[in-house]
């Protein structure tokens, strides 16, 4: 478990760093295609190349960490459902980041090619690119925020379910001992009935809480 905790922390750190670098990369790419002074353009191009190299390096590190997490997940009987879900989510985020990086690279290269071919109308193109890039960045921030909130809610739901599973095991053991007592002390039937009613109530409350949380999350995402 300690090995998972360390890999999990490293993966979260790399994911956050990758996200920040990718946002900066998209901003620098949008600056390169705008008309500017030569010194500013040269600085943007150098920064773009540096960020691209850093993102490629982070991609390799994330791949290594996720491979190690996948090795742990090869023995699911040793891990809790919430941990397995977290490992799967790390893999999905890595794939999303790689797709986003490839898409951003392709869009940036396309923008540069268009800027070179249409240098006579660069001012009009730059105004459009700036507006589109800003809108995409803002939308990406909202989507990422929704994904993180969804992950947190699901993580809490899985942890709550695991906790209830452990409590159910304990209650089953207690119930078996109480049945033995009931056979010799019939007066405890009412107490057992109250305990069963409370267990059913807790199960219903848990189901309602999880259902409401999922509905609220889906409503936030789609709105």
């Amino acid at each position: 478990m300690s090995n998972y905790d360390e890999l999990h922390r490293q993966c979260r750190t790399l994911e956050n760093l990758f996200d920040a670098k990718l946002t900066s990369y998209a901003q620098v790419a949008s600056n390169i295609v705008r008309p500017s002074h030569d010194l500013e353009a040269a600085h943007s191009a150098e920064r773009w190349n540096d960020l691209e190299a850093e993102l490629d390096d982070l991609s390799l590190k994330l791949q290594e960490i996720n491979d190690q997490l996948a090795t742990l997940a090869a023995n699911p009987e040793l891990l809790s459902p919430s941990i397995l879900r977290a490992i799967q989510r790390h893999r999905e985020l890595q794939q999303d980041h790689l797709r986003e990086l490839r898409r951003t690279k392709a869009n940036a290269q396309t923008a540069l090619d268009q800027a070179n071919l249409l240098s006579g109308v660069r001012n009009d193109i730059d105004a459009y690119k700036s507006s589109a890039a800003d809108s995409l960045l803002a939308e990406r921030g909202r989507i990422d925020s929704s994904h993180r909130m969804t992950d947190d809610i699901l993580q809490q739901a899985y942890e709550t379910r695991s906790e209830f599973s452990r409590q159910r095991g304990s209650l089953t053991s207690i119930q078996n001992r109480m049945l033995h007592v009931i056979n010799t002390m019939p007066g405890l039937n009412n107490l057992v009935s109250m305990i069963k009613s409370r267990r059913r109530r807790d199960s219903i409350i848990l189901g309602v809480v999880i259902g409401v949380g999922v509905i609220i999350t889906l409503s936030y995402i789609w709105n």
Side-chain angles (χ1 to χ4, degrees):
M1 186 65 67
S2 60
N3 190 27
Y4 163 76
D5 291 337
E6 180 62 23
L7 291 174
H8 176 69
R9 284 193 294 270
Q10 292 180 17
C11 201
R12 288 297 297 270
T13 299
L14 290 175
E15 287 168 354
N16 292 334
L17 182 59
F18 190 100
D19 190 72
K21 294 288 186 182
L22 187 58
T23 300
S24 298
Y25 179 79
Q27 291 174 336
V28 173
S30 67
N31 289 333
I32 291 177
V33 300
R34 298 174 184 168
S36 58
H37 298 296
D38 292 342
L39 182 60
E40 181 182 353
H43 176 73
S44 296
E46 291 174 0
R47 180 60 177 158
W48 183 34
N49 292 331
D50 291 340
L51 285 170
E52 185 169 296
E54 292 172 8
L55 285 168
D56 290 337
D57 183 61
L58 286 173
S59 296
L60 293 176
K61 291 179 179 178
L62 276 171
Q63 180 66 47
E64 293 175 1
I65 296 295
N66 276 280
D67 288 343
Q68 295 179 54
L69 288 172
T71 300
L72 292 178
N75 297 309
E77 66 278 0
L78 301 179
L79 303 174
S80 67
S82 60
I83 290 179
L84 291 174
R85 174 60 184 172
I87 291 175
Q88 177 63 26
R89 183 56 184 162
H90 282 312
R91 175 66 68 181
E92 292 171 356
L93 283 175
Q94 180 210 6
Q95 293 172 354
D96 289 343
H97 283 149
L98 288 177
R99 284 193 294 269
E100 184 67 13
L101 177 58
R102 287 193 293 267
R103 186 189 68 80
T104 305
K105 283 183 178 181
N107 288 346
Q109 188 59 52
T110 299
L112 286 172
D113 292 340
Q114 291 176 349
N116 291 332
L117 292 174
L118 303 175
S119 58
V121 291
R122 180 169 292 179
N123 289 334
D124 293 337
I125 293 176
D126 287 341
Y128 171 78
K129 290 294 180 180
S130 175
S131 176
D134 292 340
S135 297
L136 287 173
L137 288 172
E139 183 63 23
R140 172 182 167 79
R142 288 192 292 269
I143 292 174
D144 288 343
S145 178
S146 298
H147 285 172
R148 284 192 292 269
M149 185 180 68
T150 302
D151 289 341
D152 291 340
I153 291 176
L154 290 176
Q155 182 74 10
Q156 292 173 4
Y158 280 113
E159 290 175 355
T160 301
R161 188 180 67 177
S162 297
E163 180 62 26
F164 271 94
S165 296
R166 289 192 291 270
Q167 292 181 4
R168 183 166 57 248
S170 299
L171 289 174
T172 300
S173 176
I174 294 172
Q175 183 182 26
N176 291 333
R177 291 196 296 269
M178 291 185 64
L179 287 174
H180 177 72
V181 175
I182 290 171
N183 291 330
T184 58
M185 300 179 64
L188 294 178
N189 285 335
N190 291 334
L191 178 60
V192 173
S193 298
M194 291 175 63
I195 292 174
K196 289 183 178 179
S197 297
R198 179 162 188 151
R199 287 178 59 193
R200 286 194 296 270
R201 186 191 66 185
D202 290 344
S203 298
I204 292 173
I205 291 174
L206 174 62
V208 170
V209 170
I210 292 176
V212 171
V214 172
I215 290 172
I216 291 174
T217 300
L218 292 177
S219 299
Y220 179 82
I221 291 174
W222 289 109
N223 291 331

